[in-house]
Amino acid sequence: CVCVCVRPLPVDLLFSLTKVRSLRSQVVAIGECGLDYDRLEFCPRDTQLQYFQRQIALAEATGLPMFLHLRNAADDFVDVVTRNRHRFSCGVVHSFDSDAAVARKLLGLGLYIGLNGCSLRSEANLETVKTLPANRILLEVSREVKYIASLAGCLSLSLC
């Protein structure tokens, strides 16, 4: 698996990267794409919305799944994904920390929910995780693996 970090390159340049033969067999998803309204000082809302649409176009052009990012932008995120869901094959909303209502909407769109340490910071987050179907959860593991393992018992879920 290869991650090509290309922030903040124009999406047109990303489209040209899809034509590089040596990358075609190694790139497995388009991402990290989405909306992050906790960081509007770095990128305004309108710019994020514009580029999210273009990132979806990239996923459509390549036929690759999407690795999605949602932070404090649930209404706009769900709206954009709902209008464009037919344009990409599948996707995971990683580091999910929204509420159960948002999770239900995303699951209803056929997306997976990615969980990591950020997803488990509060009691509200833990309650949301309890509502997720185990077969639609993807665990994101790195340094959080011990933290997630320590919480598995209190979640009363079989995540594997």
Side-chain angles (χ1 to χ4, degrees), residues 23-146:
L23 291 177
R24 281 191 184 172
S25 65
Q26 297 176 44
V27 177
V28 297
I30 302 299
E32 176 176 346
C33 305
L35 303 174
D36 190 331
Y37 291 175
D38 280 348
R39 292 172 177 78
L40 292 174
E41 69 274 14
F42 298 115
C43 187
R45 176 184 176 272
D46 291 342
T47 302
Q48 290 189 43
L49 286 165
Q50 174 189 358
Y51 274 82
F52 191 22
Q53 295 279 355
R54 295 182 80 193
Q55 293 161 341
I56 291 170
L58 181 61
E60 181 178 35
T62 61
L64 291 170
M66 296 194 76
F67 190 73
L68 298 161
H69 179 84
L70 163 61
R71 189 73 69 231
N72 197 23
D75 291 342
D76 284 345
F77 185 91
V78 170
D79 178 58
V80 170
V81 171
T82 299
R83 286 186 287 109
N84 291 281
R85 183 59 187 90
H86 65 283
R87 298 177 66 195
F88 60 96
S89 60
C90 61
V92 57
V93 182
H94 96 103
S95 191
F96 185 82
D97 72 348
S98 292
D99 62 34
V102 173
R104 280 190 300 276
K105 290 176 185 176
L106 297 172
L107 292 167
L109 292 168
L111 300 176
Y112 289 84
I113 303 294
L115 302 177
N116 61 19
C118 293
S119 308
L120 308 170
R121 288 185 288 206
S122 70
E123 284 298 319
N125 293 142
L126 294 174
E127 290 304 313
T128 295
V129 170
K130 289 179 185 179
T131 70
L132 301 175
N135 66 340
R136 300 292 292 285
I137 294 172
L138 298 178
L139 292 180
E140 302 174 31
V141 294
S142 60
R143 67 183 180 272
E144 295 95 357
V145 72
K146 289 181 181 177

Side-chain angles (χ1 to χ4, degrees), residues 120 123 126-127 129-130 147-157:
L120 308 170
E123 284 298 319
L126 294 174
E127 290 304 313
V129 170
K130 289 179 185 179
Y147 180 67
I148 291 172
S150 71
L151 289 172
C154 71
L155 293 177
S156 300
L157 290 173

